[in-house]
Amino acid sequence: MEQILANGVYLGSQYAMIALGLTLIFALMNVLNFAHGQMYVIGGFVTYTFYGQWGVPFVLALVMSCVTLAILGALIERYLFAPVIKGSAREESTMLLAAGIAFFLDALILIVFGEKQRGVPKIVDGVFNYDFRLIMPYDRILICILAILSIVAFIGLMQYTKTGRALRALAQDRTAAQLMGVNVDRYSMIGFALGAMLAGLVGGLLVTITGVNLGMGGPTSIKAFMMVMIGGAGVISGAIWGGIILGFMEAFGLAYLAQYGDITYLLIFISLMIFLAIRPQGLMGKPWG
Amino acid sequence: MQRRSLMKAALTAATLTAFGATAAFAENPVLKIGFVGVTSGPAAAWGISNQRSMEARANWINETGGYTIGDTTYDIEIVSFDDQKDPKRAIAGMEKMAQEGIHYVVGPNVDDGAAAVRPVAEANGIMYFPYAFPKSLYQAPASNAVLGMVANYQSGPAIYKYLMEEKGVKTVAFIAANESDPLSQRDGGVEAATTLGMEVVSSNVTYQVDTTDFTPVLTPIMRTRPDLLVLSGVSPANAPQLIRSARELGFEGVISTETAQDAGVLAEGAGDLANGFISVGGASTPELASPMMNEFVQRYTDMFGEYNDESNTKVYALEYILETLKADPSAITDVDAFQTTMDTFEAPNPYMNGDAKLRYVGMSSFGQKRQVAVPLVVNVYQDGQFETLFVAEVD
């Protein structure tokens, strides 16, 4: 049981981080960013290049992932999403744009980083072993702690800074925020950049554990959408709970259902369908959006 | 004025270059060979190593004057189609090959894709070289598929027998992705291990193909404490993570697979934890690779920036097609002639040292010669590179 709980905490913390950026962008701009997984992958590849290839210290490589994705996110918002949102009232326009960006980034990743699975040297050696009841490599423990700290820092930013307040105001009511003097265009760009930066951060963190390859983007986006659906679209705390719930469901399912074959995700999907039929707005979402 | 002159010069240069390129390309007639396989998504490495092997070899042939079949020297053009590991897309890809008048296609890379394209290939006179293992593709009445590598039911028993005799392995556990190829390879492996007298302690643990963290997946298997852990049909993307998680969970036995892997990917993803990992390769190790193989590796690296060890096996299909056509030039448009030639075809294997031959095999497994004789080279990974464990042949 100790091992299952530890696996759940570890999976939950990384999933929550992946979902945070996605839900932030949705909350601010009502955009379903299908390219979120690809941004995560680019974050992983940037850390791989700086830390794994060029020998730059891991923390600095992580910063480079964040900076790269923040810039990429800002550019995507300014030159792609903002004009489309202004020019088209139809929501599917941004969805198609996001899907197009996902395909474009996939192709770009293939050209720049190649088709192979990539990995980096371990950042911490050794394995914590408690009487074979709880086994956890030290690097996973470190990444789990860093993920939790990042989530706490993000919540702090959203709660206690001027930028965070502006972003929350924008998420609650775009028109009211504008009337209160919030520069909507500027904070939309900052919010999108922040969401992309979170994807880059988690990609950079997890490349030390899972490695990275060009095919990870799509499945990562799907999982992130599942977490957001569980927690409630556009709600920060919902994304965190969605990630934690999915992480624990996976950990318990893989431990107790493995003998029956790969039915863990089958049951997760069935549970999700039943849950959404009962509560379509998710755990923390509001029925009116 | 200066700007206008510069533009004129640029335009003239571009026109001449284009004309020159066309003229150079038009020196020989073009022989198109197709590729239908997965070049995107998590399994992209499988198809891209195929495609790039073909392109590197075709480029090499064209650069050195073309390939002579009968009285005609051809430039080789590779026509590629990404099936995205989707059978529907694979059918569309094979239909595209038929529309382009292509009779020889390498791929698809996976079981369901290879099965899906069979009617299209047989109806349109296309010989295709899949990297998929279902025997029904190669047994009569199927006629147009030629297995492009060694199947797991051929390599698995050889590896298990070696490990039983040399390492005293008695118990085995299998883990596979929840997809048709890995699952069928797992079932074949379980059957082979049972036949050899090994005790199968776990065979029903599977994982989603997009899994990135294998610790929870492997935990139940580790409790069974097997001597051997078989990663059935594992993709190069998943192998390092599985090895790393198993070792970190305290597994000290042997880990093996029957698919081809890349040493660089293992080194990056698992480091020293991958030492002792057994996989299947082609003419990969220094003692087996001929000077032509070494030149191929160099050209591939120059062309694409980095070599992929999976190409040690993938290099063969195009060579088999061209050499067989050389043996019977009428087969260029007549696959019946190609099939007849396959029964007696034999040529020197240019990629291996010694007197190895290119020939079609498969009588034991399929009842007809529908498999290329790629050497069954079983490798063990050690400190960043593969070493030859043993070499065997498939009948």
Side-chain angles (χ1 to χ4, degrees):
Chain A
M1 179 56 80
E2 295 92 332
Q3 184 71 53
I4 300 167
L5 291 174
N7 288 344
V9 170
Y10 170 73
L11 289 172
S13 61
Q14 58 167 281
Y15 285 168
M17 272 204 75
I18 293 170
L20 266 182
L22 185 70
T23 210
L24 175 68
I25 291 169
F26 181 78
L28 293 175
M29 306 175 67
N30 209 24
V31 165
L32 290 170
N33 184 20
F34 294 116
H36 196 70
Q38 280 71 16
M39 291 175 171
Y40 160 90
V41 171
I42 291 174
F45 272 119
V46 171
T47 297
Y48 162 77
T49 305
F50 278 88
Y51 174 58
Q53 294 288 291
W54 297 344
V56 170
F58 176 67
V59 175
L60 201 57
L62 209 53
V63 170
M64 288 311 297
S65 280
C66 293
V67 171
T68 306
L69 266 297
I71 293 169
L72 182 67
L75 291 173
I76 286 174
E77 196 282 334
R78 172 55 61 91
Y79 294 107
L80 297 174
F81 279 108
V84 169
I85 289 169
K86 279 177 186 159
S88 170
R90 299 171 69 98
E91 284 183 0
E92 57 267 34
S93 301
T94 56
M95 290 168 70
L96 286 170
L97 175 61
I101 292 170
F103 287 126
F104 169 74
L105 291 180
D106 263 340
L108 192 69
I109 291 165
L110 176 61
I111 291 166
V112 177
F113 298 107
E115 81 285 7
K116 288 187 184 179
Q117 165 80 12
R118 301 296 186 185
V120 299
K122 286 167 78 75
I123 47 174
V124 189
D125 282 325
V127 178
F128 174 79
N129 188 337
Y130 171 59
D131 197 25
F132 283 96
R133 289 160 65 187
L134 172 57
I135 301 171
M136 188 65 77
Y138 288 126
D139 56 354
R140 278 166 202 265
I141 296 171
L142 179 65
I143 294 300
C144 184
I145 292 168
L146 287 174
I148 292 169
L149 287 177
S150 302
I151 292 169
V152 171
F154 176 75
I155 292 171
L157 174 91
M158 293 299 286
Q159 290 292 332
Y160 302 113
T161 66
K162 188 184 163 193
T163 304
R165 277 194 294 274
L167 290 174
R168 279 190 291 134
L170 208 59
Q172 282 172 16
D173 192 320
R174 203 175 177 84
T175 312
Q178 196 166 17
L179 290 170
M180 298 302 288
V182 174
N183 185 336
V184 170
D185 289 346
R186 182 163 168 245
Y187 280 101
S188 290
M189 191 176 77
I190 290 172
F192 203 103
L194 195 58
M197 191 194 82
L198 282 170
L201 175 64
V202 70
L205 282 173
L206 291 184
V207 73
T208 63
I209 309 290
T210 63
V212 63
N213 66 66
L214 81 109
M216 291 168 89
T220 303
S221 291
I222 291 170
K223 268 190 183 170
F225 277 112
M226 281 173 62
M227 293 173 247
V228 169
M229 300 290 275
I230 293 170
V235 185
I236 300 296
S237 53
I240 296 168
W241 278 112
I244 291 169
I245 289 168
L246 186 66
F248 273 91
M249 285 174 87
E250 212 173 280
F252 274 93
L254 291 171
Y256 291 114
L257 303 174
Q259 57 188 310
Y260 306 112
D262 188 18
I263 61 169
T264 299
Y265 258 86
L266 181 74
L267 292 180
I268 288 175
F269 279 122
I270 291 172
S271 309
L272 184 62
M273 283 188 275
I274 294 170
F275 171 72
L276 288 177
I278 298 166
R279 196 174 167 82
Q281 72 271 28
L283 274 179
M284 322 284 280
K286 300 287 187 289
W288 54 87
Chain B
M1 185 66 188
Q2 258 186 338
R3 187 187 290 174
R4 189 172 294 172
S5 302
L6 193 66
M7 282 180 70
K8 272 185 185 170
L11 197 64
T12 310
T15 310
L16 284 173
T17 307
F19 184 76
T22 311
F25 196 66
E27 274 177 10
N28 295 324
V30 171
L31 175 61
K32 291 181 180 179
I33 307 290
F35 168 69
V36 176
V38 50
T39 56
S40 59
W46 275 333
I48 288 177
S49 61
N50 261 127
Q51 186 182 336
R52 289 183 171 177
S53 297
M54 293 172 74
E55 286 172 353
R57 179 68 183 122
N59 195 48
W60 184 4
I61 289 169
N62 297 343
E63 202 180 295
T64 49
Y67 198 90
T68 303
I69 297 170
D71 298 328
T72 313
T73 299
Y74 295 91
D75 280 333
I76 308 299
E77 183 185 344
I78 306 301
V79 180
S80 298
F81 186 93
D82 177 14
D83 67 15
Q84 298 171 3
K85 217 173 159 198
D86 177 348
K88 296 191 293 296
R89 295 265 308 163
I91 291 171
M94 200 57 91
E95 284 171 346
K96 173 184 154 68
M97 298 301 154
Q99 284 159 10
E100 294 215 15
I102 293 171
H103 291 282
Y104 298 94
V105 173
V106 176
N109 296 101
V110 292
D111 292 4
D112 45 10
V117 301
R118 181 182 158 191
V120 183
E122 291 183 355
N124 290 281
I126 295 174
M127 291 298 293
Y128 64 111
F129 289 65
Y131 294 81
F133 298 157
K135 289 185 177 179
S136 59
L137 288 170
Y138 312 108
Q139 289 170 329
S143 56
N144 288 29
V146 182
L147 177 56
M149 62 186 293
V150 179
N152 74 305
Y153 39 77
Q154 296 164 331
S155 58
I159 295 172
Y160 306 156
K161 195 171 175 211
Y162 173 87
L163 291 173
M164 287 174 79
E165 290 170 356
E166 302 293 324
K167 307 277 184 187
V169 165
K170 292 187 176 69
T171 57
V172 57
F174 291 83
I175 182 168
N178 191 19
E179 284 193 317
S180 59
D181 287 46
L183 291 176
S184 70
Q185 290 186 40
R186 178 199 63 185
D187 294 344
V190 169
E191 192 183 331
T194 308
T195 305
L196 286 168
M198 295 172 94
E199 183 191 351
V200 179
V201 293
S202 173
S203 63
N204 51 8
V205 173
T206 58
Y207 56 89
Q208 291 284 309
V209 72
D210 58 354
T211 301
T212 52
D213 189 343
F214 290 95
T215 301
V217 180
L218 281 165
T219 305
I221 294 183
M222 294 301 104
R223 292 199 191 103
T224 64
R225 296 180 178 270
D227 297 330
L228 169 65
L229 173 63
V230 178
L231 315 180
S232 299
V234 69
S235 74
N238 289 337
Q241 309 307 324
L242 277 159
I243 294 166
R244 185 166 158 173
S245 291
R247 293 298 183 209
E248 286 176 343
L249 284 168
F251 181 65
E252 292 176 347
V254 180
I255 306 177
S256 76
T257 186
E258 288 105 43
T259 50
Q261 302 293 323
D262 182 83
V265 170
L266 291 169
E268 281 186 357
D272 290 344
L273 295 177
N275 282 347
F277 175 56
I278 294 168
S279 64
V280 177
S284 46
T285 50
E287 60 269 30
L288 294 176
S290 69
M292 186 164 161
M293 184 71 200
N294 292 330
E295 186 173 351
F296 170 75
V297 172
Q298 190 56 53
R299 283 175 174 271
Y300 185 112
T301 309
D302 292 344
M303 206 165 157
F304 300 109
E306 185 181 23
Y307 187 63
N308 189 329
D309 287 330
E310 290 175 64
S311 294
N312 297 325
T313 300
K314 307 288 174 61
V315 68
Y316 279 99
L318 179 61
E319 209 66 39
Y320 266 91
I321 292 169
L322 296 177
E323 283 289 336
T324 311
L325 292 177
K326 188 193 268 184
D328 183 359
S330 69
I332 282 187
T333 53
D334 180 3
V335 295
D336 291 335
F338 191 93
Q339 289 171 12
T340 306
T341 308
M342 286 170 71
D343 288 333
T344 52
F345 169 79
E346 196 172 278
N349 183 339
Y351 297 115
M352 271 188 83
N353 284 327
D355 59 354
K357 302 285 185 199
L358 298 180
R359 60 195 174 88
Y360 292 93
V361 294
M363 290 303 290
S364 300
S365 297
F366 313 124
Q368 57 180 350
K369 290 187 174 181
R370 286 296 181 272
Q371 181 177 12
V372 301
V374 175
L376 169 52
V377 182
V378 178
N379 294 324
V380 59
Y381 175 89
Q382 195 65 42
D383 299 327
Q385 57 187 3
F386 289 123
E387 295 170 2
T388 305
L389 201 59
F390 63 89
V391 182
E393 281 203 351
V394 174
D395 177 14

